Amino acid sequence: SEQMAKKFVLVRKIDAVETLGCVSVFCSDKTGTLTKGEMTVQDLVVPMPGGPGEGLQVFNREAGTQTFAAKHRETLADIAL
């Protein structure tokens, strides 16, 4: 709460802030709001198999099909588990 006070954060619903502090993944649309209640992954960034110190892997959806490339399906399936 001290850190929030230093940044002059205003909170209307403290329950929302407490819940947000417990998440490990956060998704938002380009405006930073959750408007429709559903989202689709556009890009996925994950640590390399050796850990974050080894770098990051970036997976982008293909523009024409809006799906991830077939060559990444096995890797993405492993990540989802």
Side-chain angles (χ1 to χ4, degrees):
S1 62
E2 289 178 25
Q3 290 176 344
M4 292 172 62
K6 287 178 185 176
K7 295 184 181 199
F8 303 104
V9 174
L10 296 175
V11 177
R12 287 193 288 166
K13 296 183 179 182
I14 192 66
D15 294 346
V17 175
E18 291 173 352
T19 301
L20 188 57
C22 297
V23 301
S24 57
V25 175
F26 178 76
C27 300
S28 70
D29 65 13
K30 64 185 175 190
T31 63
T33 59
L34 299 172
T35 54
K36 195 173 176 185
E38 64 182 60
M39 304 195 116
T40 302
V41 173
Q42 297 295 316
D43 303 303
L44 182 65
V45 180
V46 295
M48 296 293 275
E54 298 295 318
L56 300 171
Q57 290 178 293
V58 179
F59 301 95
N60 299 312
R61 289 178 14 153
E62 295 178 341
T65 63
Q66 294 299 310
T67 60
F68 290 99
K71 65 182 179 182
H72 298 303
R73 285 192 186 136
E74 186 175 329
T75 304
L76 294 171
D78 289 343
I79 292 169
L81 295 176

